[in-house]
């Protein structure tokens, strides 16, 4: 069975990065028209280039910029059917004393406030069209407590679960599904930098004995964005090789 997103549109935030790029390309390969919004405009342009997609430079830490980005994507795509709130800061720090108020604010602004603003701007037009898919990027850190990631990171990702479930209730009557993904250890640049030459040690703690790949996550995004998942809403889907089973 092929998943066909022909005629659908998708906005992927953070699509210049590891997981976001895999999601954007996977949705585009399934037929969706894509827009990628990222602080890294050149990276966003690189992601969309093979698909004639739309690249939007933005700083989602700025609430005005986040709202403008949502509206620009809505205009450029003629409506956003699928919103992937993937942009995020992965922050590592040791213990609560290692968290500064500045870092708390920055992480919460990007990881939690920006998805709230994008949802706020795009849910109303989705309701008007009577369809929509929203996928928020939580984390295993929110499910099991952070291992390496900082407290502020885990809190931002836990907040996304509340956002997801609340909007699933609001969007459901309009045919809109809202779900969250909770990836474990996915081998993207920031994670590789942290793991270094200890990949085998990390893999030994994972039942499937390997780190996740960005494509493992993109496959789940494709499923949740597709008609196959039309009766699934308000879930938090773990993608962690069995490292945490909630
Ligand atoms: N990699 C993992 O192991 C893992 C695990 C759990 C959750 N996640 C989540 O998955 C998402 C993607 O992670 P990744 O590993 O691909 O990270 P990444 O760093 O490769 O990509 C993140 C992207 O977000 C963009 N971004 C960051 N701040 C931004 C801002 N203020 N405005 C606009 N764009 C901004 C970056 O430019 C980058 O392109 C994040 O939300 C992350 O928290 C990742």
């Amino acid at each position: 069975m092929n998943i066909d997103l022909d005629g659908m549109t998708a906005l992927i935030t953070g699509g210049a990065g590891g997981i976001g790029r895999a999601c954007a390309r996977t949705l585009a390969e399934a037929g969706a028209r894509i827009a990628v919004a990222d602080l890294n405009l050149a990276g966003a342009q690189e992601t969309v280039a093979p698909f004639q997609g739309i690249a939007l430079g933005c700083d989602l830490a700025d609430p005005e910029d986040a709202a403008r980005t949502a509206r620009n994507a809505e205009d450029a795509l003629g409506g956003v059917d699928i919103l992937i709130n993937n942009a995020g800061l992965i922050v590592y720090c040791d213990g609560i004393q290692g968290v500064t108020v500045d870092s708390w604010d920055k992480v919460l602004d990007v990881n939690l406030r920006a998805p709230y603003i994008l949802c706020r701007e795009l849910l109303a037009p989705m309701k008007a069209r009577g369809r929509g898919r929203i996928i928020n990027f939580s984390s295993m850190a929110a499910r099991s407590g952070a291992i390496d990631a900082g407290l502020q990171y885990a809190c931002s990702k836990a907040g996304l679960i509340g956002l997801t479930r609340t909007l699933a209730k609001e969007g459901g009557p309009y045919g809109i599904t809202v779900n969250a993904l909770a990836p474990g250890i996915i081998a993207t640049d920031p994670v590789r930098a942290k793991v270094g030459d200890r990949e085998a040690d990390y893999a030994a703690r994972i039942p499937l004995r390997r780190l996740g790949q960005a494509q493992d996550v993109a496959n789940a995004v494709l499923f949740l964005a597709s008609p196959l998942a039309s009766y699934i809403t308000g879930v938090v889907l773990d993608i962690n090789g069995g490292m945490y089973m909630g």
Side-chain angles (χ1 to χ4, degrees):
M1 184 191 298
N2 281 335
I3 292 179
D4 184 3
L5 298 183
D6 207 28
M8 305 291 281
T9 62
L11 168 61
I12 303 97
T13 69
I19 294 172
R21 175 167 288 174
C23 292
R25 291 186 167 169
T26 299
L27 294 174
E29 282 162 7
R33 280 198 304 126
I34 57 166
V36 164
D38 203 295
L39 201 54
N40 173 1
L41 176 59
Q45 287 166 335
E46 199 182 318
T47 300
V48 302
F51 309 101
Q52 288 85 47
I54 295 150
L56 302 167
C58 62
D59 181 359
L60 297 175
D62 174 352
E64 301 297 331
D65 205 1
R68 197 166 37 243
T69 299
R71 290 193 294 268
N72 286 345
E74 179 76 11
D75 290 347
L77 292 170
V80 175
D81 297 313
I82 302 162
L83 168 61
I84 312 293
N85 274 316
N86 160 81
L89 294 176
I90 303 175
V91 177
Y92 299 106
C93 54
D94 198 10
I96 193 168
Q97 303 304 336
V99 181
T100 63
V101 169
D102 279 352
S103 167
W104 172 277
D105 287 346
K106 185 70 192 288
V107 170
L108 271 285
D109 288 355
V110 175
N111 290 8
L112 184 56
R113 187 177 65 189
Y116 142 66
I117 290 171
L118 284 148
C119 289
R120 188 192 68 196
E121 296 298 317
L122 295 176
L123 193 66
M126 284 180 182
K127 282 180 178 175
R129 286 191 294 274
R131 66 172 190 274
R133 295 294 165 96
I134 298 175
I135 299 169
N136 295 319
F137 269 76
S138 182
S139 168
M140 188 172 69
R143 305 274 285 153
S144 65
I147 303 169
D148 295 321
L151 175 76
Q152 71 278 49
Y153 177 81
C155 291
S156 71
K157 295 301 187 179
L160 280 167
I161 296 175
L163 180 78
T164 297
R165 292 188 169 149
T166 306
L167 291 183
K169 290 181 177 174
E170 182 173 344
Y174 299 87
I176 299 162
T177 67
V178 188
N179 292 295
L181 299 180
I185 304 177
I186 311 299
T188 58
D189 288 348
V191 171
R192 283 195 187 287
K194 173 73 182 168
V195 168
D197 61 5
R198 291 169 297 142
E199 183 165 337
D201 298 341
Y202 278 81
R205 290 187 282 160
I206 302 172
L208 287 174
R209 292 290 187 272
R210 66 173 177 87
L211 271 53
Q213 298 300 315
Q215 191 62 46
D216 293 317
V217 183
N219 292 343
V221 163
L222 176 62
F223 168 66
L224 287 175
S226 79
L228 296 177
S230 59
Y231 200 58
I232 298 174
T233 197
V235 307
V236 182
L237 182 60
D238 292 312
I239 308 172
N240 60 29
M243 198 174 178
Y244 170 77
M245 304 179 197

